[in-house]
Amino acid sequence: EDSQGLLQRIQTILWQNVSCVGALEGLSEGVSISSRGLKECPDRLEGIREVAFFDASVNSLREAPMSFLVNTAITLTTLDLSSNKLTEIPTSIDLLASLVTLRVDNNRITSIPLTVRHLSELETLSISNNRVTHLPGFLGQMDRLQHLNATGNPIKHVPKE
């Protein structure tokens, strides 16, 4: 089998491991590529435009798949990137204006970017078991934020607000 054929088979297998859950008038309820051992998101995700949730937890991703996420920004309300190898929350996270729940537990994240404050719909931020040392003051000013889980971080500074 030539290398092109092998690559095609691998891509087919990867695509078969992507689970699209439910469908509602062309809106896929969600996409899960959880627990697949992936180091990056499959290219085939790029064609998906409308999902309510995306679960890429328990993989080996080193960065968030922002090109896919931006394509789904209008409808994406839940993003789970827990248990990967992320070292940061992308500063462009604020493009996900409809985000209600962001889970990035069990990664290597060291800080919460200022752009998170622009997630005006965010109700849950779960960033437990990372390397965060500072909780920014803007978290206390986010009107809709109801649940913040930052346990298991070496936090040295908590804002007074």
Side-chain angles (χ1 to χ4, degrees), residues 79-160:
L79 174 59
D80 190 345
L81 296 172
S82 297
S83 300
N84 278 287
K85 295 181 179 180
L86 304 178
T87 56
E88 66 180 8
I89 297 171
T91 55
S92 57
I93 195 78
D94 63 335
L95 296 174
L96 307 180
S98 300
L99 207 59
V100 174
T101 301
L102 175 59
R103 297 186 189 287
V104 289
D105 307 298
N106 304 308
N107 278 289
R108 300 170 181 171
I109 296 168
T110 57
S111 65
I112 300 170
L114 188 59
T115 51
V116 167
R117 73 179 178 176
H118 299 295
L119 297 174
S120 60
E121 302 298 317
L122 194 67
E123 294 176 6
T124 300
L125 174 59
S126 192
I127 191 163
S128 67
N129 301 313
N130 276 283
R131 299 174 181 171
V132 176
T133 58
H134 173 84
L135 290 179
F138 68 77
L139 291 175
Q141 299 163 1
M142 294 178 70
D143 293 334
R144 297 218 174 172
L145 188 63
Q146 297 173 15
H147 309 283
L148 172 64
N149 182 0
T151 60
N153 283 287
I155 295 172
K156 296 176 182 163
H157 174 75
V158 178
K160 294 178 182 170

Side-chain angles (χ1 to χ4, degrees), residues 7-21:
L7 180 61
Q8 183 65 35
R9 267 187 354 132
I10 291 170
Q11 287 176 336
T12 301
I13 290 167
L14 279 176
W15 181 238
Q16 290 169 345
N17 283 328
V18 173
S19 303
C20 292
V21 182

Side-chain angles (χ1 to χ4, degrees), residues 20-35:
C20 292
V21 182
L24 184 64
E25 296 177 8
L27 172 70
S28 179
E29 187 176 311
V31 173
S32 176
I33 56 170
S34 179
S35 303

